[in-house]
Amino acid sequence: MKQKYYVNNNAQSNGDHEIHVDTCYYFPMMHNRTYLGEFETCQEAVREAKKRYEKSNGCVDCCWLCHTS
């Protein structure tokens, strides 16, 4: 099932821009996020986010399969 993914425009302290689904507890505020699209997997969303932010990573809470640091 496809989900809507967003990237946080504000980098974490380690420089990562986190990827979130719209139901995440840590979902960024409207002015701090960019819609990436609907994807089957978080890996697809990370690939899309890396077009904007090279250092993108999945959220530990909602995209834990794509969380690497």
Side-chain angles (χ1 to χ4, degrees):
M1 183 171 96
K2 288 188 177 186
Q3 292 193 65
K4 294 179 181 179
Y5 287 88
Y6 296 78
V7 62
N8 190 333
N9 298 326
N10 297 324
Q12 302 295 314
S13 60
N14 65 359
D16 284 352
H17 290 266
E18 287 192 331
I19 311 306
H20 299 272
V21 295
D22 59 356
T23 58
C24 182
Y25 178 79
Y26 299 105
F27 193 57
M29 297 179 72
M30 182 180 283
H31 62 279
N32 291 332
R33 67 182 185 243
T34 299
Y35 180 64
L36 296 171
E38 291 188 25
F39 302 99
E40 294 284 340
T41 68
C42 61
Q43 291 89 351
E44 293 172 289
V46 169
R47 276 194 297 278
E48 183 64 29
K50 287 187 178 210
K51 293 177 183 177
R52 180 178 296 264
Y53 301 113
E54 186 177 323
K55 198 167 181 198
S56 296
N57 190 9
C59 169
V60 68
D61 187 63
C62 67
C63 296
W64 60 273
L65 289 173
C66 293
H67 180 75
T68 58
S69 62

Coordinates of all heavy atoms in Angstrom, one line a residue:
M1 N 0.8 -1.2 0.0 CA 0.0 0.0 0.0 C 0.9 1.3 0.0 O 1.8 1.4 0.8 CB -0.9 0.0 1.2 CG -1.8 1.2 1.3 SD -3.0 1.0 2.6 CE -2.3 2.0 3.9
K2 N 0.6 2.2 -0.9 CA 1.3 3.4 -0.9 C 1.1 4.3 0.2 O -0.1 4.3 0.8 CB 1.0 4.1 -2.2 CG 1.6 3.5 -3.5 CD 1.4 4.3 -4.7 CE 2.1 3.7 -5.9 NZ 2.1 4.5 -7.0
Q3 N 2.1 5.0 0.7 CA 2.0 6.0 1.7 C 2.5 7.3 1.2 O 3.4 7.4 0.3 CB 2.7 5.6 3.0 CG 2.1 4.4 3.6 CD 2.7 4.2 5.0 OE1 2.6 5.0 5.9 NE2 3.5 3.1 5.2
K4 N 2.1 8.4 1.8 CA 2.6 9.8 1.5 C 3.8 10.0 2.3 O 3.8 9.8 3.5 CB 1.5 10.8 1.8 CG 0.3 10.7 0.9 CD -0.7 11.8 1.2 CE -1.9 11.6 0.3 NZ -2.9 12.6 0.5
Y5 N 4.9 10.4 1.7 CA 6.2 10.7 2.3 C 6.6 12.1 2.2 O 6.3 12.8 1.2 CB 7.3 9.8 1.7 CG 7.2 8.3 2.1 CD1 6.4 7.4 1.4 CD2 7.9 7.8 3.2 CE1 6.4 6.1 1.7 CE2 7.8 6.5 3.6 CZ 7.0 5.6 2.8 OH 7.0 4.3 3.1
Y6 N 7.3 12.6 3.2 CA 7.7 14.0 3.3 C 9.2 14.0 3.8 O 9.6 13.1 4.5 CB 6.9 14.8 4.3 CG 5.5 14.9 3.9 CD1 4.6 13.9 4.0 CD2 5.0 16.1 3.3 CE1 3.2 14.1 3.7 CE2 3.7 16.3 2.9 CZ 2.8 15.2 3.1 OH 1.5 15.4 2.7
V7 N 9.9 15.0 3.4 CA 11.3 15.2 3.9 C 11.3 16.4 4.8 O 10.7 17.4 4.5 CB 12.4 15.3 2.8 CG1 12.1 16.4 1.9 CG2 13.8 15.3 3.4
N8 N 12.0 16.3 5.9 CA 12.1 17.5 6.8 C 13.2 18.4 6.2 O 14.3 18.0 5.9 CB 12.6 17.0 8.2 CG 12.5 18.1 9.2 OD1 12.6 19.3 8.9 ND2 12.3 17.8 10.5
N9 N 12.8 19.7 6.0 CA 13.8 20.6 5.4 C 14.9 21.1 6.3 O 15.9 21.6 5.9 CB 13.0 21.9 4.9 CG 12.0 21.5 3.8 OD1 12.3 20.6 3.0 ND2 10.9 22.2 3.8
N10 N 14.6 20.8 7.6 CA 15.6 21.2 8.6 C 16.5 19.9 8.9 O 15.9 18.9 9.3 CB 15.0 21.6 9.9 CG 14.2 22.9 9.8 OD1 14.6 23.8 9.0 ND2 13.1 23.0 10.4
A11 N 17.8 20.0 8.8 CA 18.6 18.9 9.1 C 18.8 18.6 10.5 O 18.7 19.5 11.4 CB 20.0 19.2 8.5
Q12 N 19.0 17.3 10.9 CA 19.3 16.9 12.2 C 20.7 17.4 12.6 O 21.4 17.8 11.7 CB 19.2 15.4 12.3 CG 17.8 14.8 11.9 CD 16.7 15.3 12.9 OE1 16.9 15.2 14.1 NE2 15.6 15.7 12.3
S13 N 21.1 17.2 13.8 CA 22.4 17.7 14.3 C 23.5 17.0 13.5 O 24.6 17.5 13.3 CB 22.6 17.5 15.8 OG 22.4 16.1 16.1
N14 N 23.3 15.7 13.0 CA 24.3 15.0 12.2 C 24.2 15.4 10.7 O 24.9 14.8 9.9 CB 24.1 13.5 12.4 CG 22.8 13.0 11.8 OD1 22.0 13.7 11.3 ND2 22.6 11.7 12.0
G15 N 23.3 16.3 10.3 CA 23.2 16.7 8.9 C 22.2 16.0 8.1 O 21.9 16.3 7.0
D16 N 21.5 14.9 8.7 CA 20.5 14.2 7.9 C 19.2 14.9 7.8 O 18.8 15.6 8.8 CB 20.2 12.9 8.7 CG 21.2 11.8 8.5 OD1 22.1 12.0 7.7 OD2 21.1 10.7 9.2
H17 N 18.5 14.8 6.7 CA 17.2 15.3 6.5 C 16.3 14.1 6.6 O 16.4 13.1 5.8 CB 17.0 16.0 5.2 CG 17.7 17.3 5.1 ND1 17.1 18.5 5.4 CD2 19.0 17.6 4.8 CE1 18.0 19.5 5.3 NE2 19.2 18.9 4.9
E18 N 15.5 14.0 7.6 CA 14.7 12.8 7.9 C 13.4 12.7 7.0 O 12.8 13.7 6.7 CB 14.2 12.7 9.3 CG 15.4 12.4 10.2 CD 14.9 12.0 11.6 OE1 13.9 12.5 12.1 OE2 15.6 11.3 12.3
I19 N 13.1 11.5 6.6 CA 11.9 11.1 5.8 C 10.9 10.7 6.8 O 11.1 9.9 7.7 CB 12.2 10.0 4.8 CG1 13.5 10.2 4.0 CG2 11.0 9.7 3.9 CD1 13.6 11.5 3.3
H20 N 9.6 11.1 6.6 CA 8.5 10.8 7.4 C 7.3 10.5 6.6 O 7.1 11.0 5.5 CB 8.1 12.0 8.3 CG 9.2 12.4 9.2 ND1 9.4 11.9 10.5 CD2 10.1 13.4 9.1 CE1 10.4 12.5 11.1 NE2 10.9 13.4 10.3
V21 N 6.4 9.6 7.2 CA 5.0 9.5 6.6 C 4.1 10.4 7.3 O 4.5 10.9 8.4 CB 4.5 8.0 6.8 CG1 5.3 7.0 5.9 CG2 4.5 7.6 8.2
D22 N 3.0 10.7 6.7 CA 2.1 11.8 7.3 C 1.5 11.4 8.6 O 0.8 12.3 9.2 CB 1.1 12.3 6.3 CG 0.2 11.2 5.7 OD1 0.4 10.0 6.1 OD2 -0.7 11.5 5.0
T23 N 1.6 10.2 9.1 CA 1.0 9.8 10.3 C 2.0 9.7 11.5 O 1.7 9.3 12.6 CB 0.3 8.4 10.2 OG1 1.3 7.5 9.7 CG2 -0.9 8.5 9.2
C24 N 3.3 10.1 11.2 CA 4.4 10.0 12.2 C 4.2 11.0 13.4 O 3.8 12.1 13.2 CB 5.7 10.3 11.5 SG 7.1 10.1 12.6
Y25 N 4.5 10.5 14.5 CA 4.5 11.3 15.7 C 5.5 12.5 15.6 O 5.2 13.6 16.1 CB 4.9 10.4 16.9 CG 5.0 11.2 18.2 CD1 3.8 11.5 18.9 CD2 6.2 11.6 18.8 CE1 3.9 12.2 20.1 CE2 6.3 12.3 20.0 CZ 5.1 12.6 20.6 OH 5.2 13.3 21.8
Y26 N 6.6 12.3 14.9 CA 7.6 13.3 14.7 C 7.4 14.1 13.4 O 8.4 14.8 12.9 CB 9.0 12.7 14.7 CG 9.3 12.1 16.1 CD1 9.3 10.7 16.2 CD2 9.5 12.8 17.2 CE1 9.5 10.1 17.4 CE2 9.8 12.2 18.4 CZ 9.8 10.8 18.5 OH 10.0 10.2 19.7
F27 N 6.2 14.1 12.8 CA 6.0 14.7 11.5 C 6.3 16.2 11.6 O 5.8 16.9 12.5 CB 4.5 14.5 11.2 CG 4.1 14.8 9.8 CD1 4.7 14.3 8.7 CD2 3.1 15.7 9.5 CE1 4.4 14.6 7.4 CE2 2.7 16.1 8.2 CZ 3.3 15.5 7.2
P28 N 7.1 16.7 10.7 CA 7.5 18.2 10.8 C 6.3 19.1 10.5 O 5.4 18.7 9.8 CB 8.6 18.3 9.7 CG 8.7 17.0 9.0 CD 7.7 16.0 9.6
M29 N 6.4 20.3 11.0 CA 5.4 21.3 10.7 C 5.4 21.6 9.3 O 6.3 21.4 8.5 CB 5.7 22.6 11.6 CG 5.6 22.3 13.1 SD 6.0 23.8 14.0 CE 4.5 24.7 13.7
M30 N 4.2 22.2 8.8 CA 4.0 22.4 7.4 C 5.1 23.2 6.7 O 5.6 22.9 5.6 CB 2.7 23.1 7.2 CG 2.4 23.4 5.7 SD 0.8 24.2 5.4 CE -0.3 22.9 5.7
H31 N 5.6 24.3 7.4 CA 6.6 25.1 6.8 C 8.0 24.5 6.8 O 9.0 25.0 6.3 CB 6.6 26.5 7.5 CG 7.0 26.5 8.9 ND1 6.0 26.2 9.9 CD2 8.1 26.7 9.6 CE1 6.6 26.2 11.1 NE2 7.8 26.5 10.9
N32 N 8.2 23.3 7.5 CA 9.5 22.6 7.6 C 9.5 21.4 6.8 O 10.5 20.6 7.0 CB 9.8 22.3 9.0 CG 10.1 23.6 9.9 OD1 10.5 24.6 9.3 ND2 9.8 23.5 11.2
R33 N 8.6 21.1 5.9 CA 8.6 19.8 5.2 C 8.3 20.1 3.7 O 7.7 21.0 3.3 CB 7.6 18.9 5.8 CG 6.1 19.3 5.6 CD 5.2 18.4 6.3 NE 3.8 18.7 6.0 CZ 2.9 19.1 6.9 NH1 3.2 19.1 8.2 NH2 1.7 19.4 6.6
T34 N 8.8 19.1 2.9 CA 8.5 19.0 1.5 C 7.9 17.7 1.1 O 8.4 16.6 1.5 CB 9.8 19.3 0.7 OG1 10.3 20.5 1.0 CG2 9.6 19.2 -0.8
Y35 N 6.8 17.7 0.4 CA 6.1 16.5 0.0 C 7.0 15.8 -1.1 O 7.4 16.4 -2.0 CB 4.7 16.9 -0.6 CG 3.9 15.7 -1.1 CD1 3.5 14.7 -0.2 CD2 3.6 15.6 -2.4 CE1 2.8 13.6 -0.6 CE2 2.8 14.5 -2.8 CZ 2.4 13.5 -2.0 OH 1.7 12.4 -2.4
L36 N 7.2 14.5 -0.9 CA 8.0 13.7 -1.8 C 7.2 13.0 -2.8 O 7.6 12.7 -3.9 CB 8.9 12.8 -1.1 CG 10.0 13.4 -0.2 CD1 10.7 12.3 0.7 CD2 11.0 14.1 -1.0
G37 N 6.0 12.5 -2.4 CA 5.1 11.8 -3.2 C 4.6 10.5 -2.5 O 4.9 10.3 -1.3
E38 N 3.9 9.7 -3.2 CA 3.4 8.4 -2.7 C 4.2 7.3 -3.2 O 4.5 7.2 -4.4 CB 1.9 8.2 -3.1 CG 0.9 9.2 -2.4 CD -0.5 8.8 -2.7 OE1 -0.8 7.6 -2.9 OE2 -1.3 9.7 -2.6
F39 N 4.7 6.5 -2.2 CA 5.6 5.4 -2.6 C 5.2 4.1 -1.8 O 4.5 4.1 -0.8 CB 7.0 5.7 -2.2 CG 7.5 7.0 -2.8 CD1 7.5 8.2 -2.2 CD2 8.0 6.9 -4.1 CE1 8.0 9.3 -2.8 CE2 8.5 8.1 -4.8 CZ 8.5 9.3 -4.1
E40 N 5.5 3.0 -2.4 CA 5.3 1.7 -1.8 C 6.2 1.4 -0.6 O 5.9 0.7 0.3 CB 5.5 0.5 -2.8 CG 4.4 0.6 -3.9 CD 3.1 0.0 -3.5 OE1 3.0 -0.7 -2.5 OE2 2.1 0.4 -4.2
T41 N 7.5 1.9 -0.7 CA 8.5 1.7 0.3 C 9.2 3.0 0.7 O 9.3 3.9 -0.1 CB 9.6 0.7 -0.2 OG1 10.3 1.3 -1.2 CG2 8.9 -0.6 -0.7
C42 N 9.8 2.9 1.9 CA 10.6 4.1 2.3 C 11.9 4.2 1.5 O 12.4 5.3 1.3 CB 10.9 4.0 3.8 SG 11.9 2.5 4.3
Q43 N 12.4 3.1 1.0 CA 13.6 3.2 0.1 C 13.3 4.1 -1.1 O 14.2 4.9 -1.5 CB 14.0 1.8 -0.3 CG 14.6 0.9 0.8 CD 13.5 0.1 1.5 OE1 12.4 0.3 1.3 NE2 14.0 -0.7 2.4
E44 N 12.2 4.0 -1.7 CA 11.8 4.8 -2.8 C 11.7 6.3 -2.4 O 12.2 7.2 -3.1 CB 10.4 4.4 -3.4 CG 10.4 3.0 -4.0 CD 9.0 2.6 -4.4 OE1 8.2 2.3 -3.5 OE2 8.7 2.6 -5.6
A45 N 11.2 6.5 -1.2 CA 11.1 7.9 -0.7 C 12.5 8.5 -0.4 O 12.7 9.7 -0.7 CB 10.2 7.9 0.5
V46 N 13.4 7.7 0.1 CA 14.7 8.2 0.4 C 15.4 8.5 -0.9 O 16.1 9.5 -1.0 CB 15.5 7.1 1.2 CG1 17.0 7.5 1.2 CG2 15.0 7.0 2.6
R47 N 15.3 7.7 -1.9 CA 15.9 8.0 -3.2 C 15.4 9.3 -3.8 O 16.1 10.1 -4.3 CB 15.6 6.9 -4.2 CG 16.6 5.7 -4.2 CD 16.4 4.8 -5.4 NE 15.2 4.1 -5.5 CZ 14.8 3.0 -4.9 NH1 15.6 2.5 -4.0 NH2 13.6 2.5 -5.1
E48 N 14.1 9.6 -3.6 CA 13.5 10.8 -4.1 C 14.0 12.0 -3.3 O 14.4 13.0 -3.8 CB 12.0 10.8 -4.0 CG 11.3 12.0 -4.5 CD 11.5 12.2 -6.0 OE1 11.7 11.2 -6.8 OE2 11.4 13.4 -6.4
A49 N 14.1 11.8 -2.0 CA 14.6 12.9 -1.1 C 16.1 13.2 -1.4 O 16.5 14.4 -1.3 CB 14.5 12.5 0.4
K50 N 16.9 12.3 -1.8 CA 18.3 12.5 -2.1 C 18.5 13.4 -3.3 O 19.6 13.9 -3.5 CB 19.0 11.2 -2.2 CG 19.2 10.5 -0.8 CD 20.1 9.3 -0.9 CE 20.3 8.8 0.5 NZ 21.5 8.2 0.8
K51 N 17.4 13.5 -4.1 CA 17.5 14.5 -5.2 C 17.6 15.9 -4.7 O 18.1 16.8 -5.4 CB 16.3 14.3 -6.2 CG 16.3 13.0 -6.9 CD 15.0 12.8 -7.7 CE 14.9 11.5 -8.4 NZ 13.6 11.3 -9.1
R52 N 17.0 16.1 -3.6 CA 17.0 17.5 -2.9 C 18.1 17.6 -1.9 O 18.7 18.6 -1.8 CB 15.6 17.7 -2.3 CG 15.4 19.0 -1.6 CD 14.0 19.2 -1.1 NE 13.0 19.2 -2.1 CZ 12.5 20.3 -2.7 NH1 12.9 21.5 -2.2 NH2 11.6 20.3 -3.6
Y53 N 18.2 16.6 -1.0 CA 19.1 16.6 0.1 C 19.9 15.3 0.0 O 19.4 14.2 0.3 CB 18.4 16.7 1.4 CG 17.6 17.9 1.6 CD1 16.2 17.8 1.7 CD2 18.2 19.2 1.7 CE1 15.4 18.9 1.9 CE2 17.4 20.3 1.9 CZ 16.0 20.2 2.0 OH 15.2 21.3 2.2
E54 N 21.2 15.4 -0.4 CA 22.0 14.2 -0.5 C 22.1 13.3 0.8 O 22.1 12.1 0.7 CB 23.4 14.6 -0.9 CG 24.3 13.4 -1.2 CD 25.7 13.8 -1.7 OE1 25.8 14.8 -2.4 OE2 26.6 13.1 -1.3
K55 N 22.1 14.0 1.9 CA 22.1 13.3 3.2 C 20.7 13.2 3.7 O 20.3 13.9 4.6 CB 23.1 14.0 4.1 CG 23.5 13.1 5.3 CD 24.7 13.7 6.0 CE 25.0 12.8 7.1 NZ 25.8 13.4 8.2
S56 N 20.0 12.2 3.2 CA 18.6 11.9 3.7 C 18.6 10.6 4.3 O 19.3 9.7 4.0 CB 17.6 12.0 2.5 OG 17.6 13.3 1.9
N57 N 17.7 10.4 5.3 CA 17.6 9.2 6.1 C 16.2 9.0 6.6 O 15.5 10.0 6.8 CB 18.6 9.4 7.3 CG 18.8 8.2 8.1 OD1 18.4 7.1 7.7 ND2 19.5 8.3 9.2
G58 N 15.8 7.7 6.8 CA 14.5 7.5 7.3 C 14.4 7.8 8.8 O 15.3 7.6 9.5
C59 N 13.2 8.2 9.2 CA 12.9 8.5 10.6 C 12.9 7.1 11.4 O 12.4 6.1 10.9 CB 11.5 9.1 10.7 SG 10.8 9.2 12.4
V60 N 13.5 7.2 12.6 CA 13.6 6.0 13.4 C 12.2 5.5 13.8 O 12.1 4.3 14.0 CB 14.5 6.2 14.6 CG1 13.9 7.2 15.6 CG2 14.9 4.9 15.3
D61 N 11.3 6.3 13.9 CA 9.9 6.0 14.3 C 9.0 5.4 13.2 O 8.5 4.4 13.3 CB 9.3 7.2 15.0 CG 8.0 6.8 15.7 OD1 8.0 6.0 16.6 OD2 6.9 7.3 15.2
C62 N 8.9 6.2 12.1 CA 8.0 5.8 11.1 C 8.6 5.1 9.8 O 7.9 4.5 9.0 CB 7.2 7.0 10.6 SG 8.1 8.3 9.8
C63 N 9.9 5.3 9.7 CA 10.6 4.7 8.5 C 11.9 3.9 9.0 O 12.9 4.1 8.4 CB 11.0 5.8 7.5 SG 9.7 6.7 6.8
W64 N 11.7 3.2 10.0 CA 12.8 2.5 10.7 C 13.6 1.6 9.7 O 14.8 1.4 9.9 CB 12.4 1.8 11.9 CG 11.3 0.7 11.7 CD1 10.0 0.8 11.7 CD2 11.6 -0.7 11.4 NE1 9.4 -0.3 11.4 CE2 10.3 -1.3 11.2 CE3 12.7 -1.4 11.3 CZ2 10.2 -2.7 11.0 CZ3 12.6 -2.8 11.1 CH2 11.4 -3.4 10.9
L65 N 12.9 1.0 8.7 CA 13.7 0.2 7.8 C 14.7 1.0 7.0 O 15.6 0.4 6.5 CB 12.7 -0.5 6.8 CG 11.8 -1.6 7.4 CD1 10.8 -2.0 6.4 CD2 12.7 -2.7 7.9
C66 N 14.5 2.3 6.9 CA 15.4 3.1 6.1 C 16.3 4.0 7.0 O 17.0 4.9 6.6 CB 14.6 4.0 5.2 SG 13.8 3.1 3.9
H67 N 16.2 3.8 8.4 CA 17.0 4.6 9.3 C 18.4 4.0 9.4 O 18.5 2.8 9.8 CB 16.3 4.6 10.7 CG 17.0 5.4 11.7 ND1 17.0 6.8 11.7 CD2 17.8 5.0 12.7 CE1 17.8 7.2 12.7 NE2 18.2 6.1 13.3
T68 N 19.4 4.8 9.1 CA 20.8 4.3 9.0 C 21.7 5.0 10.0 O 22.8 4.6 10.2 CB 21.4 4.4 7.6 OG1 21.3 5.8 7.2 CG2 20.6 3.5 6.7
S69 N 21.3 6.1 10.6 CA 22.1 6.8 11.5 C 21.3 7.7 12.5 O 20.2 7.9 12.3 CB 23.2 7.7 10.8 OG 22.6 8.7 10.0

